[in-house]
Amino acid sequence: MTEPYSPIEEATRKTRPLALVTGASRGIGRAIAVALAEAGYDLFLIARKEAEKLKDTAERCRSLGAVVELRCADISCSKACEDIFAAPDDLLGRLKLLVANAGISKLGLLQDMTPDDWDAMLRTDLSSCFYLSRLAIPRMLHAGGGKLIFISSVWGSRGASCEVAYSAAKGGVNAFTKALAKELAPSNIQVNAIAPGAIDTDMNAWLTEEERAVLEEEIPAGRMGLPEEVAALVCQIAAAPAYLTGNILTLSGGWEI
Ligand code: NAD
């Protein structure tokens, strides 16, 4: 069935801001996409694989009124990021927000890590922020401003045993955020990062029940965080005054203190 054409609705859609969210097939990225759809954004959603799950996120966002474009792409590859940004101007011309959320983690001793593992971690969790930012910034400059939000981790400042490469990548994201915020502040582009503690997603599905209980005991809030809580903070940063830039906002239930 074709919906009746509404010129007013069409005009509204063309003026809605667009957010590009990576890692949107599940977990934190999916929650961010849904929250931004609720907040009135159209969306360009990316995940590496999991096309069905990505479609499911897209359907949920469409049910909230968002126009949604989706793409399976490997953001650890600069060429794949360039292909994402080859999308039509009537879409990316409205880019107001980049949420670089996609990431991987890997447990193990540093001495057992291969150089290929190291490169894959650094490219996925850190270089992707560069690949995507360098393409998003010219669009935002052209539009008079925008916001970049990177999903870092508490390990980026604290460092985690058996997650050295992940900690190094997220520490890099923190420094990247601060430096880029200074560079872009005069151009009305704000750059912030969120450093979550332990969030209840597939990334932590390897924890046994006992390990999870021990972890929750360590967290002053007494529980793991929810993807929706990270998503709520993304929406708040997206709506925050332009003077909020260069911050690494910790969201850890008091774990990081
Ligand atoms: P997740 O494993 O549940 O989901 C990861 C998402 O990233 C998936 O959509 C996957 O397709 C996408 N992705 C991974 N590699 C990709 C690639 N090369 N190209 C494109 N997409 C790719 O993870 P999550 O828990 O939702 O984590 C999301 C972000 O939050 C990550 O950056 C992670 O480091 C960070 N983080 C998570 C936690 C936590 O406890 N879950 C804590 C701190 C930070």
Side-chain angles (χ1 to χ4, degrees):
M1 202 176 89
T2 322
E3 286 173 29
Y5 173 70
S6 156
I8 293 172
E9 192 184 320
E10 188 64 21
T12 313
R13 278 167 189 264
K14 287 210 166 124
T15 57
R16 281 163 67 108
L18 180 83
L20 192 155
V21 181
T22 64
S25 60
R26 60 176 202 238
I28 294 170
R30 177 185 161 94
I32 291 169
V34 170
L36 288 171
E38 278 170 347
Y41 282 82
D42 286 342
L43 292 157
F44 196 172
L45 304 178
I46 312 294
R48 185 170 42 181
K49 300 181 213 149
E50 303 186 323
E52 285 311 310
K53 285 191 181 179
L54 190 61
K55 271 188 207 160
D56 190 70
T57 304
E59 279 317 307
R60 175 84 182 99
C61 295
R62 287 185 183 121
S63 75
L64 294 164
V67 172
V68 184
E69 193 72 30
L70 59 161
R71 191 76 50 87
C72 282
D74 178 359
I75 49 93
S76 71
C77 163
S78 61
K79 172 71 173 69
C81 293
E82 282 167 14
D83 291 345
I84 292 169
F85 274 81
D89 264 358
D90 64 344
L91 185 74
L92 282 170
R94 291 187 283 131
L95 184 67
K96 282 280 176 282
L97 177 64
L98 166 68
V99 187
N101 161 77
I104 52 170
S105 66
K106 192 172 162 71
L107 284 183
L109 295 173
L110 183 75
Q111 72 235 34
D112 295 336
M113 190 166 207
T114 66
D116 282 351
D117 290 341
W118 172 273
D119 285 346
M121 176 73 68
L122 270 286
R123 274 192 284 106
T124 307
D125 287 22
L126 174 59
S127 302
S128 63
C129 295
F130 159 62
Y131 300 151
L132 294 163
S133 298
R134 69 180 273 273
L135 297 160
I137 291 164
R139 306 277 179 167
M140 291 179 178
L141 288 175
H142 189 70
K147 290 187 199 277
L148 310 178
I149 302 177
F150 305 116
I151 306 300
S152 181
S153 163
V154 289
W155 299 137
S157 54
R158 278 170 69 181
S161 164
C162 293
E163 289 193 76
V164 175
Y166 182 75
S167 302
K170 295 299 190 180
V173 170
N174 292 353
F176 183 82
T177 301
K178 291 178 194 172
L180 190 60
K182 285 182 181 168
E183 189 168 307
L184 293 177
S187 306
N188 190 32
I189 299 176
Q190 291 79 44
V191 189
N192 292 286
I194 297 175
I199 307 297
D200 195 359
T201 70
D202 289 353
M203 194 173 263
N204 292 310
W206 56 272
L207 288 167
T208 64
E209 246 176 66
E210 293 76 42
E211 286 167 336
R212 186 181 165 118
V214 170
L215 172 65
E216 291 188 331
E217 185 103 340
E218 278 178 20
I219 301 170
R223 63 173 178 84
M224 292 174 82
L226 300 173
E228 289 74 17
E229 292 176 301
V230 183
L233 186 54
V234 166
C235 290
Q236 282 160 0
I237 297 171
Y243 217 56
L244 185 87
T245 195
N247 297 282
I248 316 298
L249 293 118
T250 300
L251 186 79
S252 71
W255 199 32
E256 166 74 349
I257 298 163

